[in-house]
Amino acid sequence: MGEYRSVPDVLAYLAGRWRVERVVRDLAGGAAGEVAGEVAGRFTGTTDFSPLEPAASAHGRPGLLHHESGTFVWQGVARPAERTLRYLPGDPAGTARVEFSDGRPFHDLDLRTGHWVADHPCAADLYRGTFTVDGDDDWRTEWRVRGPAKDLVLSTTYHRDNAYDTDSNTYATDSATSSVPRRAADSTAPGSP
């Protein structure tokens, strides 16, 4: 895993639908009967990176709307989960500036070397994200969350869903059209930035 795939244009690379699997480890072992470092949560679902119209972005620039939805199981309890982010063209070209759905800054993203580390302070917590591109259709993130009441690691893998056509909002094997969700509301799970 020492080699990374360079990405000259992060927005072009991310566009489309991705299958997502996330594992959340609670290093503090906060729940009763939980051992520190064991898997406390698991998310499975999809992430759609669809075109974001310039008027819809906080700064009037085109980009991508990131909408993640699926099921999050936290300490044995399953519930639906979703979040929405905005990926806007960054400076220099080929990079992105990531914002929350309400326009607040989250982090920068530069995958031109195939690897990136970003920090996001959130109240008393610090989120440190490591982004790694493994191939044309695979990338991963690891967020380490530390704070007075948190010590978490969120490890996420993304695999491109090649069967999904974002232009027509259909699957190659499915003749029925399905809309790509484009909601602005967030529903975050414990430990999500």
Side-chain angles (χ1 to χ4, degrees):
M1 292 207 185
E3 289 194 35
Y4 310 124
R5 183 202 183 274
S6 63
V7 173
D9 183 341
V10 69
L11 296 178
Y13 176 75
L14 293 175
R17 176 169 279 185
W18 299 81
R19 291 189 307 270
V20 180
E21 293 186 23
R22 178 174 301 121
V23 172
V24 181
R25 295 186 185 283
D26 184 353
L27 302 181
E34 189 177 287
V35 176
E38 284 188 353
V39 173
R42 186 175 304 273
F43 173 86
T44 55
T46 59
T47 295
D48 290 303
F49 285 92
S50 58
L52 177 66
E53 298 303 319
S57 76
H59 304 284
R61 295 170 30 188
L64 294 174
L65 183 67
H66 160 284
H67 181 79
E68 178 178 278
S69 62
T71 302
F72 186 67
V73 179
W74 178 253
Q75 299 173 345
V77 178
R79 60 183 57 98
E82 62 181 28
R83 72 174 174 170
T84 301
L85 300 169
R86 294 177 177 150
Y87 282 63
L88 302 175
D91 187 24
T95 67
R97 190 178 74 249
V98 183
E99 298 178 344
F100 293 102
S101 62
D102 63 5
R104 288 178 297 128
F106 187 10
H107 62 83
D108 291 331
L109 185 57
D110 181 351
L111 295 177
R112 292 175 298 167
T113 66
H115 185 78
W116 182 252
V117 177
D119 286 341
H120 173 72
C122 181
D125 302 327
L126 177 65
Y127 289 71
R128 170 160 287 160
T130 303
F131 300 77
T132 305
V133 179
D134 295 316
D136 290 344
D137 297 322
D138 299 285
W139 61 291
R140 56 193 155 93
T141 65
E142 182 172 287
W143 283 96
R144 180 68 193 263
V145 185
R146 290 186 175 156
K150 292 180 186 172
D151 194 3
L152 303 169
V153 175
L154 294 82
S155 302
T156 307
T157 59
Y158 297 83
H159 181 74
R160 188 179 306 278
D161 190 343
N162 289 318
Y164 189 75
D165 179 1
T166 55
D167 292 330
S168 65
N169 291 337
T170 60
Y171 284 94
T173 58
D174 182 15
S175 60
T177 300
S178 62
S179 304
V180 175
R182 290 184 174 92
R183 290 172 271 230
D186 288 344
S187 170
T188 57
S192 295

